[in-house]
Amino acid sequence: MLSKNQQIIFDIIEKAKEPIKAYSILFNVQKKGIKAPLQVYRALDKLVEIGKIHKIESRNSFVACKNSNCQISKATAFSICESCEEVSEISDNKLSKYLKSFQNKAGMKFKKYNLEFFGLCKKCSVK
Amino acid sequence: MLSKNQQIIFDIIEKAKEPIKAYSILFNVQKKGIKAPLQVYRALDKLVEIGKIHKIESRNSFVACKNSNCQISKATAFSICESCEEVSEISDNKLSKYLKSFQNKAGMKFKKYNLEFFGLCKKCSVK
DNA sequence: TTAATTATTGTTATATTATAACATTATGTA
DNA sequence: TACATAATGTTATAATATAACAATAATTAA
Ligand SMILES: [Zn+2]
Ligand SMILES: [Zn+2]
Ligand SMILES: [Zn+2]
Ligand SMILES: [Zn+2]
């Protein structure tokens, strides 16, 4: 169950067609009484923690999860267009299976991964 | 061939045992006459571009490339310990082959990827 | 070898992203 | 109720990164 601020901020992110940044969220919610960055960041932290949203690390921005919460954000993959900045979440069983079972040479077993692919989306590649 | 500032900053990063942050680099090079953040960021940008270093996106920090420059930073993978923050670059032919040829459902072909795994390193997992 | 071009440097100011610290209120639970 | 936990509100500040402009050095082309 989301709290009031969490719900307000989640709604903004979910409605956005693109990844959205914390201070842009702040600007959008000031009319709803959320006035301080910390109020936004706290909601973002919680939403990330429970897997409702993900942070696109290379862009410092946030998107709603499109994949039944990615097992609470333990396994995330995105495609990012370097021209128009369109981001979409990748859902690929073979990829996630492969990465979830990946072990490095030190035998370290991982709890979590985040993968970002970069290229040109369809629209941008024909331009 | 690296320029003066690029070389100074690359040397710091290469000597560091851990990922190092831009302002920590700045602090380290002030005695060598590099006084402003922008001087550091410009060198970092160039070093990333030519593949001598990589940015650890989830940590806003930088490491020297350990993998013959990762074909100029087009294919990077790291393991990150969430306890001690140790980072190491992953070199795994099977993994990189798989990811380099990955296509999403939209048929988008990628030019670049960055993968970050999170878990506990050997030391931290026995604690 | 001069002129033009490109890369690098220096400098000040400012923008953007994120957290510390403290007080208060709401919600859940024994 | 009483206790614990989670969420909120607020002010200040820390940490990360770029804009804008001027000068110098290195490279390349005529
Ligand atoms: Zn997801
Ligand atoms: Zn695009
Ligand atoms: Zn590398
Ligand atoms: Zn560790």
Side-chain angles (χ1 to χ4, degrees), chain A residues 98 102 105, chain B residues 67-68 71 75 77 90-101 113:
Chain A
Y98 182 60
F102 182 81
K105 280 159 189 165
Chain B
N67 276 348
S68 35
Q71 304 122 90
I90 291 169
S91 172
D92 184 299
N93 283 334
K94 211 178 145 208
L95 175 68
S96 62
K97 201 174 163 190
Y98 181 60
L99 293 177
K100 272 181 219 162
S101 64
Y113 69 79

Side-chain angles (χ1 to χ4, degrees), chain B residues 16-126:
Chain B
K17 302 255 165 70
E18 328 95 25
I20 184 167
K21 285 167 170 273
Y23 276 74
S24 161
I25 292 169
L26 177 59
F27 177 80
N28 274 278
V29 297
Q30 279 180 329
K31 54 200 158 208
K32 297 199 170 159
I34 296 176
K35 290 180 210 145
L38 198 44
Q39 295 175 291
V40 173
Y41 280 103
R42 284 197 284 226
L44 290 173
D45 286 351
K46 192 68 182 187
L47 291 167
V48 165
E49 185 192 323
I50 64 179
K52 300 281 284 179
I53 66 171
H54 304 303
K55 183 174 186 181
I56 308 300
E57 293 287 356
S58 64
R59 299 299 188 260
N60 299 317
S61 61
F62 299 85
V63 292
C65 177
K66 293 293 191 305
N67 276 348
S68 35
N69 298 353
C70 296
Q71 304 122 90
I72 316 177
S73 295
K74 295 281 177 280
T76 51
F78 302 94
S79 74
I80 302 170
C81 175
E82 289 183 303
S83 169
C84 70
E85 295 293 324
E86 179 189 276
V87 168
S88 58
E89 189 166 356
I90 291 169
S91 172
D92 184 299
N93 283 334
K94 211 178 145 208
L95 175 68
S96 62
K97 201 174 163 190
Y98 181 60
L99 293 177
K100 272 181 219 162
S101 64
F102 182 81
Q103 279 189 285
N104 70 356
K105 281 160 190 166
M108 188 168 162
K109 190 75 180 13
F110 301 111
K111 294 190 299 211
K112 201 172 131 185
Y113 69 79
N114 179 54
L115 171 58
E116 297 181 0
F117 282 105
F118 304 89
L120 292 175
C121 75
K122 233 158 195 177
K123 275 182 210 158
C124 292
S125 60
V126 296

Side-chain angles (χ1 to χ4, degrees), chain A residues 81-86 119-125 127:
Chain A
C81 175
E82 288 182 304
S83 170
C84 70
E85 295 293 325
E86 179 189 277
L120 293 175
C121 74
K122 232 158 197 176
K123 276 183 209 159
C124 293
S125 60
K127 270 177 197 158

